[in-house]
Amino acid sequence: MTATGFETHDHSACISTALAAAETCCTEHRLQFTKVRRRVLEILLHEHRALGAYDILAVLAGEGLGAQPPVAYRALEFLVSNGFAHKIEKLNAYIACSLPGQDHSPVFMICRSCQTVVEAQTVLPAGQLAQVARDAGFDIERAVIEAEGTCPACRNSKDAASDAPGTKA
Amino acid sequence: MTATGFETHDHSACISTALAAAETCCTEHRLQFTKVRRRVLEILLHEHRALGAYDILAVLAGEGLGAQPPVAYRALEFLVSNGFAHKIEKLNAYIACSLPGQDHSPVFMICRSCQTVVEAQTVLPAGQLAQVARDAGFDIERAVIEAEGTCPACRNSKDAASDAPGTKA
DNA sequence: ATCTGTAATGTAATACTATATCAACCCGCA
DNA sequence: TGCGGGTTGATATAGTATTACATTACAGAT
């Protein structure tokens, strides 16, 4: 059990569910869910945080699945372009999608303190961003929305720490 | 005259206005608006698109103002942290702020076709993003919002092209 | 069963982006 | 005059990503 959303959950179940979903989706769309691609998705799912391409590459290399950058980048590119993973631009890192299969425009909340990344959804054609774009005559195709801040758990422990002066942050 | 917003405007005026605003702001806050920092801001203002740190460095080097990466990165860090410029995460590139002085949470519209970047403002505590964060108990400190798409000019020329079959895209 | 074209992989080299470190300098000020 | 903070110079290196090309695996056609 580790955290997603910002709550705890059954982690191994969420990994196998996501993996199965990806498998199904690839079959449906005639995509090849190869060994490396599958393994990279597994690695991402195993953490609920963003991993750098070279972190992933290190794991792959340790398993004899390829040691050169393109191996990792190609798998990541496949996963990202088919919606099984996302890139967090702010971190130059990658994370498994928490709602694979459906076409969506994700928004991420990145905790500055524990590095946990949580994915949520917005409706792109609604909201201020869309209004601004409409006003400018700009046609939005994709949007990167990444919020940096403090997650509930870290905020609480920070509050607790400041309640106890003498405990250094 | 080049484009900002997505309209044309008096470019040299916008450069000198922004430069003057930065100067004033630095004086007020006891910040040193040094030669390199000023020059980097000028370079950014001169284009209404995002420039990579090494693009800027190349210009500086050509002028004898420093040829090593830290020169550019230090100046950019100063400009970004004081709100005179922003980093476009999606592009790993930097752009002059179009509303310097005021504390703000910018949103960018990046044209995939001509690379023009336009800055607009949103009210962070409003909108879907804030709602999502509130629901999750997440405390947003900063947000990166970058929309990719097609600007009015490029969309029009694209439409014109597709009206004339035989003209290759 | 073999051929063939496309997609995926292996591997090396390199490009691009960013930071760490430490010494030197400048300037305002006690 | 000497101290201290912030800025700059310079070297090295870390971290992220792509190009290029040879090779292999595989699905579909013959």
Side-chain angles (χ1 to χ4, degrees):
Chain A
M1 309 268 252
T2 54
T4 187
F6 291 113
E7 319 87 39
T8 59
H9 69 297
D10 182 341
H11 198 43
S12 68
C14 93
I15 292 180
S16 48
T17 307
L19 233 33
E23 197 128 11
T24 305
C25 181
C26 284
T27 306
E28 274 171 14
H29 295 81
R30 307 271 137 80
L31 299 170
Q32 303 184 24
F33 197 46
T34 65
K35 201 164 184 171
V36 177
R37 291 169 179 177
R38 181 190 181 92
R39 185 66 189 116
V40 170
L41 181 54
E42 267 177 23
I43 294 166
L44 289 175
L45 283 164
H46 195 264
E47 318 271 332
H48 274 294
R49 59 193 185 89
L51 293 177
Y54 281 72
D55 295 334
I56 291 163
L57 187 56
V59 177
L60 293 178
E63 298 171 351
L65 274 173
Q68 275 62 45
V71 173
Y73 282 102
R74 286 196 281 236
L76 288 168
E77 147 100 50
F78 172 86
L79 295 174
V80 167
S81 65
N82 291 291
F84 304 131
H86 300 288
K87 179 174 185 184
I88 311 291
E89 297 289 346
K90 179 86 196 179
L91 304 176
N92 291 318
Y94 303 82
I95 191 167
C97 178
S98 58
L99 287 97
Q102 48 211 85
D103 197 19
H104 58 298
S105 41
V107 353
F108 298 100
M109 291 176 281
I110 307 166
C111 178
R112 271 194 313 107
S113 167
C114 66
Q115 278 70 252
T116 298
V117 176
V118 167
E119 176 179 356
Q121 306 302 319
T122 48
V123 188
L124 202 49
Q128 297 178 68
L129 178 53
Q131 184 57 56
V132 162
R134 246 190 318 272
D135 292 348
F138 185 86
D139 179 26
I140 296 182
E141 290 162 17
R142 268 179 302 284
V144 171
I145 304 182
E146 298 170 359
E148 248 192 321
T150 313
C151 74
C154 289
R155 181 141 39 86
N156 291 340
S157 63
K158 198 178 60 183
D159 291 350
S162 49
D163 286 351
T167 310
K168 282 197 178 165
Chain B
M1 310 270 253
T2 54
T4 187
F6 289 112
E7 320 86 41
T8 58
H9 70 297
D10 182 341
H11 198 43
S12 67
C14 94
I15 292 180
S16 47
T17 306
L19 233 34
E23 196 128 10
T24 306
C25 181
C26 284
T27 306
E28 275 171 13
H29 295 82
R30 308 269 136 80
L31 298 169
Q32 301 181 221
F33 197 47
T34 65
K35 200 164 182 167
V36 177
R37 291 169 180 178
R38 182 191 180 91
R39 186 68 189 115
V40 170
L41 181 53
E42 269 177 22
I43 294 167
L44 288 176
L45 283 164
H46 196 265
E47 319 270 333
H48 276 293
R49 59 194 185 89
L51 294 177
Y54 282 72
D55 295 334
I56 291 164
L57 188 56
V59 177
L60 292 179
E63 298 172 351
L65 274 173
Q68 277 63 43
V71 173
Y73 282 102
R74 285 197 282 235
L76 287 168
E77 147 99 51
F78 172 87
L79 295 174
V80 168
S81 64
N82 292 292
F84 304 131
H86 301 288
K87 178 173 185 184
I88 310 292
E89 297 289 345
K90 179 88 197 181
L91 304 176
N92 291 320
Y94 302 83
I95 190 166
C97 177
S98 58
L99 288 97
Q102 48 211 81
D103 197 19
H104 58 296
S105 42
V107 352
F108 298 99
M109 289 174 283
I110 307 166
C111 178
R112 271 194 312 106
S113 166
C114 67
Q115 277 72 250
T116 298
V117 175
V118 167
E119 177 179 355
Q121 306 302 319
T122 47
V123 187
L124 201 49
Q128 297 177 68
L129 178 53
Q131 184 56 55
V132 163
R134 247 191 318 273
D135 293 349
F138 186 85
D139 179 26
I140 296 182
E141 290 161 18
R142 270 179 302 282
V144 171
I145 306 182
E146 298 170 358
E148 248 192 323
T150 313
C151 74
C154 290
R155 181 142 39 86
N156 291 340
S157 63
K158 197 179 60 182
D159 290 350
S162 51
D163 285 353
T167 311
K168 282 197 178 165

